[in-house]
Amino acid sequence: MSHPHPELGPPPELPEGALRIVALGGLGEIGRNMAVFEYDGRLLIVDCGVLFPEPDQPGVDLILPDFEYIRDRLDDVEALVLTHAHEDHIGAVPYLLRERRDIPIVGSKLTLALIEAKLTEHRIQPVKVEVVEGERRVFGPFETEFFAVNHSIPDALAVAIRTPAGIVLHTGDFRMDQLPSDGRLTDLGGFARLGAEGVDLLMSDSTNAEVPGFVTSEREIGPVIDEVIRTAEKRVIVASFASHIHRVQQVIDSAEKHGRKVALVGRSMVRNMGVARDLGYLRVSSDVIVDAKEIEGRPPEDVVLICTGSQGEPMAALSRMANRDHPIRVAEGDTVLLASSLVPGNETAVNKVINGLSRWGARVVHKGNAKVHVSGHAAAGELLYVLNLTRPSNFMPVHGEWRHLRAHAKLAALTGVPDDHIVIAEDGVVVDLLDGRARIVGAVPAGYVYVDGTSVGDVTDFALKDRRILGEEGFISIVVVVDTGTGKLTGGPEIHARGSGIDPDRLTEVLPQIERAIEENAADGVVDIQQVRRVVRRTVGRWVSDTYRRRPMIVPVVIEV
């Protein structure tokens, strides 16, 4: 198996007749999916998503792919193909379009409608190219063909990319539910036809590569949700992804069956379901949906609320309800249904929300105690099925953490793909398809770009390190006044601590040490202010470490006179 090496350098010029593939996100992580294809000097992008921050990234709202690799070549981009409308595949599109607004956005009807609603908030009017399964479109040297795939959002597509270098099949996110609630099956016949034609490179969803067998059908979830709503004593609050139209449909159907009104809570939930309803993907009677403001005046046993926050996001509706920071107050006898799977890394946040809701007397139903969610990603049995249908000459696992990519690579080997034709890459690794072989040829920068409020890319890893130190260890500030001619202390030192866990009364112990260090500095003839700052920081840091075994941020302020 070919795999990235830490010493990979910049790639060579693209050879004539070769197709280059560079993932700028989505490899070694769940999220930030973005792949750039290059042939004959032209570019095609598949997906452009975001990654959500983890607890060790304080203050960060979103994490984007690094566009630096294509920033000077945006005019070479023929189109941006979106496989489906989940945030980890479309969330970064507004930020890419800020750099070139007229990049054609290619996708299904629902995908384009949801991305257009998102772009409206950014005051961007996209150039849209709507496609359907079975359709072929040409964008420069790239001939694309689209295939229906079943996923946890309607209208998802896989895309085959044809160039003289060969055929690449990018599955996007998919599963093989044989009884999908919308009746739209993954196009296995199309995959088989493509396999007979000859797939030179298969890029396939790896999220559930470690899970044996086949995923449970979506239809098995409906009766469980119905039972939860039927037996609920008071209000039912359902937390789901704002894009999970199938799940919302199941909840609405059950609520209507049992005579309950439904209110949508959360801006993204209201927006997405409005789009889905307008396009016919969400079927709901006009008298079932009510405004969330009307809920408090209705009997609790007549109400179902559908909100965001199933992943424990601190600003989402459910988390705010758990913290008593939301107009909707969870009360004794309410039922809360978490109708989603856990995204890796969110376990602690979700458990905190469950505990908060339980504190107020709610019954919390989740995947751990009831079958209320099925994955939208193919398990190992389904992945093997696709590998055997397509019989690719080369294989590259995508969309997954390292363990998922490795597991998927082993499945490919089991189906007969030669080890030296299996490419395990990570973000930024450059893969060339030439003469029927996919090989790693170099690497380009593909780091994290952080969005913090209105700031994009201004927050660095160093800034995050400082935030973590401030959050975990606090800070100490020291003010001294120094004569610029002699370097001698003429005022202070004054010392203050915040969040450091240090007894304020003991801070005076270090003052004589600071004075002595500055005097020794002056005696050596050192008058450089930066050197004075270093001496103060080193002196205080050593005392805090020796006395408290702590490492707060130390901020020396030197005033020159």
Side-chain angles (χ1 to χ4, degrees):
M1 296 180 188
S2 178
H3 57 85
H5 189 277
E7 302 302 323
L8 281 174
E13 285 192 18
L14 182 62
E16 185 177 351
L19 174 68
R20 176 160 289 175
I21 303 110
V22 183
L24 298 182
L27 301 186
E29 61 196 0
I30 303 290
R32 224 170 51 116
N33 296 283
M34 182 176 182
V36 179
F37 295 82
E38 178 180 359
Y39 187 84
D40 195 23
R42 306 301 293 173
L43 305 177
L44 181 76
I45 302 172
V46 174
D47 290 330
C48 187
V50 295
L51 182 68
F52 292 101
E54 297 187 0
D56 64 348
Q57 295 161 328
V60 174
D61 298 315
L62 297 171
I63 304 171
L64 309 179
D66 187 351
F67 301 142
E68 191 60 35
Y69 171 63
I70 60 171
R71 183 162 279 120
D72 294 336
R73 302 189 56 193
L74 289 172
D75 289 339
D76 297 333
V77 177
E78 296 286 351
L80 166 59
V81 174
L82 301 177
T83 58
H84 63 285
H86 279 151
E87 283 296 303
D88 59 334
H89 292 258
I90 69 168
V93 172
Y95 301 93
L96 178 63
L97 293 191
R98 286 182 186 181
E99 312 221 5
R100 181 189 152 196
R101 293 189 170 228
D102 64 345
I103 296 175
I105 309 298
V106 184
S108 63
K109 179 189 290 187
L110 178 64
T111 300
L112 291 180
L114 291 177
I115 190 62
E116 185 173 26
K118 175 185 287 291
L119 289 170
T120 298
E121 298 178 0
H122 291 260
R123 296 181 174 84
I124 296 174
Q125 183 62 43
V127 177
K128 299 183 296 181
V129 180
E130 185 179 322
V131 295
V132 297
E133 54 261 32
E135 186 173 355
R136 294 194 182 200
R137 289 279 188 139
V138 176
F139 302 99
F142 308 97
E143 182 185 345
T144 59
E145 181 178 3
F146 298 92
F147 301 85
V149 292
N150 180 254
H151 189 40
S152 53
I153 187 172
D155 250 9
L157 296 169
V159 57
I161 301 168
R162 289 179 171 86
T163 66
I167 298 174
V168 178
L169 174 59
H170 191 304
T171 67
D173 290 0
F174 80 100
R175 64 183 174 193
M176 286 166 46
D177 189 344
Q178 298 304 297
L179 294 169
S181 55
D182 61 358
R184 189 170 179 270
L185 296 165
T186 293
D187 187 3
L188 300 180
F191 285 180
R193 174 178 53 76
L194 205 65
E197 187 178 343
V199 173
D200 294 282
L201 176 64
L202 173 64
M203 301 171 66
S204 183
D205 176 9
S206 306
T207 311
N208 275 346
E210 292 182 306
V211 179
F214 288 66
V215 296
T216 305
S217 173
E218 189 76 34
R219 293 202 179 191
E220 293 189 24
I221 305 304
V224 181
I225 291 175
D226 188 75
E227 181 66 12
V228 170
I229 293 176
R230 184 186 69 80
T231 59
E233 298 175 5
K234 295 185 179 179
R235 287 182 303 185
V236 178
I237 301 169
V238 181
S240 174
F241 292 118
S243 57
H244 204 330
I245 296 166
H246 297 319
R247 187 72 70 248
V248 172
Q249 183 72 67
Q250 289 171 319
V251 173
I252 290 174
D253 289 346
S254 181
E256 185 174 16
K257 175 181 174 183
H258 297 291
R260 290 178 180 249
K261 301 297 184 183
V262 177
L264 302 175
V265 181
R267 184 170 53 89
S268 57
M269 180 67 74
V270 172
R271 180 190 68 200
N272 288 358
M273 294 310 140
V275 170
R277 188 178 181 181
D278 291 343
L279 295 180
Y281 292 93
L282 186 69
R283 302 172 305 280
V284 54
S285 303
S286 57
D287 60 340
V288 172
I289 299 290
V290 298
D291 192 282
K293 295 176 182 176
E294 300 178 26
I295 288 296
E296 291 300 325
R298 291 182 176 272
E301 62 273 14
D302 292 346
V303 169
V304 173
L305 296 101
I306 306 176
C307 68
T308 54
S310 61
Q311 299 303 306
E313 305 96 315
M315 296 308 293
L318 194 66
S319 295
R320 292 173 57 205
M321 291 179 201
N323 294 329
R324 278 289 197 262
D325 183 30
H326 195 278
I328 296 169
R329 297 280 172 148
V330 174
E332 187 81 32
D334 286 347
T335 298
V336 178
L337 174 60
L338 301 182
S340 66
S341 59
L342 267 177
V343 174
N346 292 346
E347 294 86 356
T348 301
V350 172
N351 286 332
K352 183 178 179 182
V353 169
I354 292 173
N355 282 320
L357 296 167
S358 299
R359 177 186 180 190
W360 308 118
R363 171 196 174 208
V364 184
V365 181
H366 53 87
K367 192 179 179 184
N369 58 26
K371 189 179 285 188
V372 292
H373 182 74
V374 295
S375 176
H377 302 271
E382 297 157 84
L383 299 177
L384 285 169
Y385 208 99
V386 169
L387 282 159
N388 285 324
L389 279 177
T390 56
R391 288 291 175 187
S393 302
N394 299 272
F395 176 69
M396 180 175 168
V398 296
H399 197 290
E401 298 175 349
W402 269 103
R403 58 196 178 100
H404 307 129
L405 303 180
R406 292 283 186 190
H408 203 173
K410 289 180 180 178
L411 294 177
L414 289 173
T415 64
V417 182
D419 281 353
D420 59 351
H421 287 237
I422 298 174
V423 176
I424 304 179
E426 61 184 328
D427 295 342
V429 168
V430 179
V431 177
D432 282 357
L433 178 64
L434 178 65
D435 298 329
R437 283 288 305 277
R439 295 181 176 89
I440 289 174
V441 297
V444 300
Y448 285 177
V449 174
Y450 300 107
V451 177
D452 183 354
T454 58
S455 157
V456 178
D458 294 336
V459 176
T460 64
D461 288 329
F462 293 109
L464 287 181
K465 182 180 179 182
D466 285 348
R467 290 181 182 183
R468 286 193 292 271
I469 292 171
L470 285 168
E472 295 167 7
E473 302 283 351
F475 78 96
I476 297 175
S477 64
I478 310 99
V479 181
V480 296
V481 182
V482 173
D483 187 308
T484 54
T486 64
K488 291 184 177 181
L489 187 70
T490 62
E494 292 184 10
I495 188 165
H496 306 277
R498 292 289 185 276
S500 62
I502 296 173
D503 182 354
D505 295 335
R506 294 201 61 183
L507 287 173
T508 55
E509 295 178 13
V510 74
L511 297 181
Q513 297 179 36
I514 299 171
E515 294 172 1
R516 187 163 54 252
I518 293 176
E519 288 173 4
E520 292 172 355
N521 215 41
D524 292 337
V526 178
V527 296
D528 179 61
I529 297 303
Q530 293 298 330
Q531 177 65 15
V532 174
R533 288 195 183 97
R534 284 192 288 270
V535 165
V536 173
R537 182 182 291 111
R538 191 162 51 243
T539 302
V540 176
R542 186 167 51 244
W543 175 81
V544 173
S545 178
D546 292 345
T547 308
Y548 286 94
R549 295 292 186 268
R550 296 183 66 85
R551 300 184 64 182
M553 179 176 288
I554 298 170
V555 184
V557 179
V558 180
I559 300 172
E560 304 172 66
V561 294

